[in-house]
Amino acid sequence: MATLSSPNFCSTRTTTTTKPLIPIPKTPFTTTLLSLPSPTPTFFPLSTITLCHSSTTNAAAIHRHRPDYTPNHIADPNYVRIFDTTLRDGEQSPGASMTPNQKLHIAKTLARLGVDVIEAGFPAASTADFDAVKAIAIEVGNAVDWEGYVPVICGLSRCNKADIDAAWEAVKHAKRPRVHTFIATSEIHMKHKLNKSRDEVVEIARSMVKYARSLGCEDVEFSPEDAGRSDREFLYHILGEIIKAGATTLNIPDTVGYTVPSEFGQLIADIKANTPGIENVIISTHCQNDLGLSTANTVAGACAGARQLEVTINGIGERAGNASLEEVVMTLKCRGQSLGGLYTGIRTEHIVKASKMVAEYTGLLVQPHKAIVGANAFKHESGIHQHGMLKHKGTYEIISPEDIGLQRADESGLVLGKLSGRHALKKRLEQLGYYFEGKELDDIFWRFKSIAEKKKHVLDEDLEALVVDELFQPDSVWSLGCLQVTCGTLGLSTATVKLIDAAGKEHVACSVGTGPVDSAYKAVDQIVKVPVTLLEYSLSAVTEGIDAIATTRVLIRGDNGFTSTHATGETIQRTFSGSGSEVDVVVSSVRAYVSALNKLLGYKRKPSQEVSAENSHVSASINSAASN
């Protein structure tokens, strides 16, 4: 009898007995979604497929190593690459614009998660996007960890030389650069969007993949846009030509989220069976969530033979979003045995922090009942459920919250209030998964003391709101110094605001308005002098009670400039979100507005870019030429 755990498989609530070998036949794809297409059976030792343990057992974990990276081959047929496109497709969500430095922070978090490929952006979209992708390639794309892991840094491009040039120039500094190019292949897209024949589309795709390879890029991904609605025979033909041209990964996108799992799984199986040269490339999936089936379709694709899965943190993206990284990864982690032994290299204990960071930077809140990372995902209110949880957690939880980095129970009995010190605060933050030292800890401590003076007890939810307000804010161009408002029914509301600029200089302005928030925002506008339009404003209480912390979220649009090019070629107007938390709702509102303005002002700022010649994919001479 052996009770084992693995960082690559779920800490579920059941105990598994290890057996020598279990045959798992690989047959053509069926609607059961549990079979893998292959002519011969493959045997998997159960101890290396799913090593689940009881919540009461502290057995030593067995680590399953990530295979060495080769662009068009994976040594272990059960390993599934995770391709994260939060910074590209995710940012295409309305209001999800991020500054270059915020993108860099997210890229570092994705590397800590252990994603295999980071699609850092669409470099041809704007100068700011190019700079952000380049900075990620330089800093994150050369940060090799103690296991030899470093993520592939990918840039998206349309099938034209200008886009491919921009993508390659941005990513080439990484140790493992990739160019991802695409063109539509469905009849409706070729006829109404491209005005191209099938032969023309094939020639464009073939020549652009060859062009990308000619630049020195040895890792080229190709996507036939709207593959889910494309003619199968045409797909087999164009993909075969792309393989000949030098592509290393073929991504099969369900661009409009049209297919159901049995259809999408069969599509992957058919491509694998009918495309000439398919054994020389990696098959990838990219599933949109228009019908709410993106995760199911992605898992179906993996069961049918796809070995790269394209996902985003929190499932953000165009329209209804993409397949969610946390849902796909935890499905493979928890049900890997049932899915033929599939596993990933994701370090799941970093999921919660990544989710919070992306939600805060993009302004796209996570719905409370969202799988894995929703606020209610591990809460039990029903009396029957609570009774079961008190008896045995496995009655209603199939994974442990600790598996994703969520620590709720405080067994030490810490209750934080106005008399609590730094050590107690630091200890509780560490229990919640946040680690701070030095100035960061000082800043959060003084914010905590300010709140504790107004509340008897500071709850975990209050702490997390403060952490988010301090940790996930854009770089300060302006910060709030002081605020005084007068309002009521006897006259116009007035506000006096003091802002401090990056150089430490104080600026004061007064204004009147229809209410305290309106007058305060007008005073801020007088100081900042950047014309913007307020698109959305929302206010919510973090906890219960009259002394609850208020979190404000705003969405603004710059009235002058701040445009970029969408992957479809459309010019879009950027919008910027901001958030703020404070017991005083007006202070909370001003913090949020200043946060959004800082993001807008920081959008076109270049992040620092320094690259070591010995760490870069390209030579020092090329680096020098690129910087001129």
Side-chain angles (χ1 to χ4, degrees):
M1 191 78 161
T3 306
L4 304 170
S5 66
S6 167
N8 291 322
F9 292 98
C10 70
S11 302
T12 62
R13 307 298 187 183
T14 59
T15 303
T16 302
T17 302
T18 304
K19 296 179 182 179
L21 289 173
I22 289 182
I24 300 180
K26 295 185 176 181
T27 57
F29 184 85
T30 67
T31 55
T32 62
L33 306 184
L34 302 181
S35 56
L36 298 171
S38 178
T40 57
T42 299
F43 292 84
F44 302 104
L46 182 55
S47 61
T48 63
I49 294 176
T50 177
L51 304 174
C52 301
H53 68 81
S54 166
S55 60
T56 60
T57 303
N58 294 316
I62 294 179
H63 182 65
R64 195 169 187 181
H65 290 287
R66 185 193 310 264
D68 291 338
Y69 184 77
T70 302
N72 65 336
H73 176 71
I74 301 176
D76 186 342
N78 295 320
Y79 184 78
V80 179
R81 289 175 180 165
I82 296 299
F83 176 113
D84 184 275
T85 184
T86 301
L87 296 173
R88 201 276 302 169
D89 198 319
E91 204 203 11
Q92 291 175 199
S93 305
S97 295
M98 293 173 274
T99 68
N101 280 329
Q102 286 178 327
K103 291 180 181 181
L104 184 59
H105 293 161
I106 289 178
K108 290 178 179 179
T109 299
L110 293 174
R112 280 192 289 273
L113 260 177
V115 302
D116 299 273
V117 186
I118 299 174
E119 189 167 50
F122 178 35
S126 67
T127 302
D129 286 282
F130 177 90
D131 292 337
V133 175
K134 184 178 178 181
I136 290 168
I138 291 171
E139 190 160 343
V140 181
N142 286 285
V144 183
D145 73 7
W146 63 277
E147 292 183 315
Y149 157 80
V150 62
V152 174
I153 305 299
C154 176
L156 182 71
S157 68
R158 293 164 294 189
C159 271
N160 65 63
K161 288 186 176 181
D163 275 22
I164 292 171
D165 285 340
W168 177 241
E169 284 297 318
V171 304
K172 69 181 183 181
H173 302 284
K175 278 190 174 293
R176 295 174 179 168
R178 177 186 292 188
V179 170
H180 178 192
T181 190
F182 72 95
I183 193 169
T185 55
S186 66
E187 291 297 329
I188 190 170
H189 276 253
M190 290 189 291
K191 179 180 179 181
H192 297 287
K193 186 178 76 173
L194 300 179
N195 294 317
K196 302 287 185 185
S197 67
R198 289 187 175 190
D199 289 343
E200 288 175 312
V201 168
V202 170
E203 179 53 35
I204 291 171
R206 181 198 298 119
S207 62
M208 289 301 100
V209 169
K210 283 184 177 179
Y211 180 70
R213 290 299 300 260
S214 73
L215 296 176
C217 183
E218 298 177 355
D219 194 352
V220 178
E221 178 172 338
F222 174 76
S223 292
E225 187 185 9
D226 204 17
R229 295 189 295 173
S230 298
D231 176 73
R232 293 290 174 88
E233 294 300 325
F234 179 55
L235 265 183
Y236 307 151
H237 172 58
I238 190 172
L239 293 177
E241 293 300 311
I242 293 305
I243 293 171
K244 293 178 186 176
T248 52
T249 299
L250 297 183
N251 179 50
I252 311 304
D254 183 18
T255 304
V256 293
Y258 179 71
T259 63
V260 298
S262 58
E263 287 178 316
F264 191 74
Q266 193 62 57
L267 172 61
I268 298 298
D270 289 348
I271 288 172
K272 189 172 182 180
N274 295 288
T275 303
I278 197 69
E279 68 278 2
N280 298 317
V281 297
I282 303 299
I283 302 176
S284 173
T285 68
H286 182 112
C287 299
Q288 299 291 136
N289 201 40
D290 296 69
L291 295 177
L293 296 171
S294 58
T295 295
N297 284 344
T298 298
V299 174
C303 290
R307 288 299 177 265
Q308 176 180 283
L309 308 179
E310 303 201 355
V311 293
T312 61
I313 299 291
N314 298 338
I316 65 173
E318 286 274 14
R319 303 183 311 280
N322 289 277
S324 160
L325 179 145
E326 57 275 10
E327 292 174 14
V328 170
V329 165
M330 293 309 292
T331 297
L332 296 186
K333 182 172 183 179
C334 290
R335 301 308 310 279
Q337 179 179 1
S338 300
L339 302 177
L342 301 181
Y343 72 102
T344 74
I346 296 299
R347 301 153 184 158
T348 61
E349 65 273 16
H350 297 292
I351 283 177
V352 166
K353 185 173 181 181
S355 171
K356 291 181 182 296
M357 176 180 283
V358 169
E360 192 60 33
Y361 280 175
T362 62
L364 302 175
L365 299 182
V366 176
Q367 61 193 33
H369 54 281
K370 168 77 167 64
I372 313 299
V373 294
N376 295 343
F378 294 96
K379 290 183 178 178
H380 308 271
E381 188 164 330
S382 162
I384 295 175
H385 286 217
Q386 289 176 346
H387 178 73
M389 287 293 294
L390 290 172
K391 294 291 186 181
H392 192 289
K393 290 185 172 63
T395 53
Y396 289 102
E397 283 187 355
I398 60 171
I399 61 175
S400 300
E402 293 82 6
D403 287 346
I404 61 168
L406 183 63
Q407 180 83 25
R408 287 297 183 188
D410 180 19
E411 297 178 359
S412 66
L414 285 176
V415 177
L416 297 178
K418 66 180 182 179
L419 300 180
S420 300
R422 277 184 176 80
H423 181 73
L425 175 64
K426 182 180 179 183
K427 178 68 174 176
R428 190 67 194 115
L429 288 172
E430 288 175 354
Q431 290 172 344
L432 294 173
Y434 300 102
Y435 298 88
F436 299 103
E437 298 287 350
K439 184 178 183 303
E440 282 187 337
L441 180 61
D442 288 343
D443 291 344
I444 291 174
F445 177 71
W446 290 116
R447 284 291 305 277
F448 158 74
K449 295 292 279 188
S450 173
I451 297 299
E453 290 290 338
K454 304 167 188 173
K455 295 193 66 172
K456 185 175 181 180
H457 298 305
V458 180
L459 305 178
D460 289 348
E461 291 84 354
D462 298 321
L463 286 180
E464 292 195 337
L466 292 180
V467 168
V468 163
D469 201 34
E470 287 290 334
L471 183 64
F472 298 151
Q473 290 298 324
D475 293 339
S476 291
V477 180
W478 296 97
S479 60
L480 177 62
C482 301
L483 168 66
Q484 182 68 42
V485 296
T486 303
C487 61
T489 60
L490 299 179
L492 288 174
S493 296
T494 61
T496 302
V497 174
K498 179 195 290 183
L499 296 184
I500 303 170
D501 65 22
K505 185 178 179 181
E506 297 179 349
H507 304 257
V508 179
C510 301
S511 185
V512 297
T514 57
V517 174
D518 181 54
S519 58
Y521 281 15
K522 287 177 177 175
V524 170
D525 288 341
Q526 289 181 25
I527 297 172
V528 177
K529 295 181 174 61
V530 175
V532 298
T533 299
L534 179 65
L535 301 176
E536 295 179 12
Y537 172 94
S538 64
L539 183 70
S540 60
V542 173
T543 58
E544 299 175 348
I546 194 67
D547 60 352
I549 288 180
T551 293
T552 306
R553 298 183 185 276
V554 302
L555 185 69
I556 63 173
R557 181 182 62 228
D559 292 342
N560 296 327
F562 301 102
T563 61
S564 64
T565 303
H566 192 278
T568 60
E570 176 188 4
T571 299
I572 57 173
Q573 192 83 13
R574 290 277 187 176
T575 56
F576 302 88
S577 62
S579 66
S581 297
E582 185 60 66
V583 172
D584 188 310
V585 296
V586 182
V587 176
S588 171
S589 300
V590 174
R591 284 186 182 277
Y593 191 52
V594 172
S595 171
L597 288 168
N598 280 334
K599 186 182 288 188
L600 180 148
L601 294 170
Y603 173 67
K604 293 188 176 181
R605 283 187 166 189
K606 268 192 178 183
S608 59
Q609 297 173 359
E610 296 179 2
V611 59
S612 167
E614 64 182 25
N615 288 338
S616 176
H617 173 82
V618 294
S619 67
S621 60
I622 297 178
N623 286 335
S624 176
S627 63
N628 292 330

